[in-house]
Amino acid sequence: MAIQIQGNSGTVAEVDGTVFRAQRVRATPLDYGAFGHYRVSSVTGILPAALAAGAVVYSFRWGDATRLGVLLRLKTRFLPLTLFTAATLTDATSFDAYVGRSFSASHTGGTALTPTGNNAKCRTSMATSLMTDLRIASTAALAGGTLTVDANPFVQSIRKANRTNVATGTEETISPTTDGIDLDFDMASGDHPLVFAANEGFVIRNRTVWPVAGTGQLMVTCVWAEVAAF
């Protein structure tokens, strides 16, 4: 006996194909209700030589008391501009992202990215973002910020940055590295995204002090949803 499955609107679910007759489904973005999905891509200024270990270069602060911010994707790429001092280069230009809790004061300095109006919306009809503060470093690390970061990062990059041409006329060689953060939560496979309640968020920090020579720029792409419940 056939069994019909009806959706919320009363529409009967269909099947596809003539062999397996699998139920017809369509993957859709996280249901955002009266809120929305947002995407911001940004680039630091030229980060200076001798950048301190733990220097904050990106800050995402969620302060809304009743709605949730859901991080869906986080990607970074680093571009070296001035060669780093090879003799002291370890994992310079590597970055760590940490969840921040008890986030009671925003970072200062850098470039403010907090969306206003239609900025960063994935669809014009979505609501203006509820983001409390989003910012990226310019030519120095961000300052201020009151929060408690987790003991360990939730995602990392590792890179040495320098490219070496071992002899004139030969091909350039690059040490094997993982260049940048590439975090993409796959909820269809069971991944749970980072869900931020009031006074939570995350920061991206420089891992080790940079040598006295070496500069570069960091690109960060952040994608999140804002929802009433998750």
Side-chain angles (χ1 to χ4, degrees):
M1 179 180 68
I3 298 176
Q4 291 186 338
I5 300 175
Q6 290 185 333
N8 186 57
S9 63
T11 302
V12 177
E14 223 349 321
V15 296
D16 276 328
T18 58
V19 179
F20 296 110
R21 307 297 288 173
Q23 184 176 351
R24 182 183 298 168
V25 297
R26 182 183 68 181
T28 61
L30 182 63
D31 192 348
Y32 56 89
F35 305 102
H37 285 244
Y38 310 87
R39 175 187 292 264
V40 173
S41 189
S42 51
V43 180
T44 66
I46 298 176
L47 296 172
L51 185 66
V56 175
V57 295
Y58 195 86
S59 176
F60 176 115
R61 180 188 174 198
W62 183 260
D64 191 272
T66 58
R67 280 67 62 99
L68 302 170
V70 183
L71 182 65
L72 301 174
R73 190 166 297 124
L74 181 64
K75 298 182 185 295
T76 71
R77 290 292 181 271
F78 182 78
L79 175 66
L81 297 175
T82 304
L83 290 181
F84 285 71
T85 308
T88 58
L89 192 64
T90 55
D91 63 348
T93 76
S94 296
F95 295 90
D96 304 317
Y98 289 84
V99 170
R101 309 180 198 276
S102 302
F103 209 144
S104 59
S106 301
H107 287 86
T108 58
T111 303
L113 304 170
T114 309
T116 57
N118 285 326
N119 291 302
K121 293 180 183 179
C122 290
R123 185 174 182 177
T124 303
S125 59
M126 291 175 175
T128 297
S129 174
L130 298 168
M131 178 68 63
T132 302
D133 189 76
L134 184 69
R135 67 183 56 240
I136 193 169
S138 53
T139 56
L142 299 178
T146 302
L147 70 163
T148 301
V149 298
D150 284 1
N152 298 298
F154 64 89
V155 67
Q156 300 176 288
S157 70
I158 188 165
R159 178 174 168 85
K160 295 183 80 173
N162 285 356
R163 295 181 172 186
T164 305
N165 191 346
V166 294
T168 303
T170 65
E171 291 187 1
E172 183 179 59
T173 60
I174 307 174
S175 300
T177 59
T178 299
D179 179 7
I181 290 169
D182 194 353
L183 177 65
D184 191 351
F185 293 102
D186 185 359
M187 287 188 280
S189 297
D191 282 359
H192 197 295
L194 283 175
V195 180
F196 300 118
N199 299 319
E200 296 181 337
F202 73 89
V203 293
I204 298 176
R205 305 195 314 193
N206 178 43
R207 184 178 306 146
T208 57
V209 61
W210 285 6
V212 293
T215 65
Q217 290 181 286
L218 182 71
M219 181 197 75
V220 181
T221 298
C222 182
V223 183
W224 74 96
E226 300 177 6
V227 298
F230 186 88

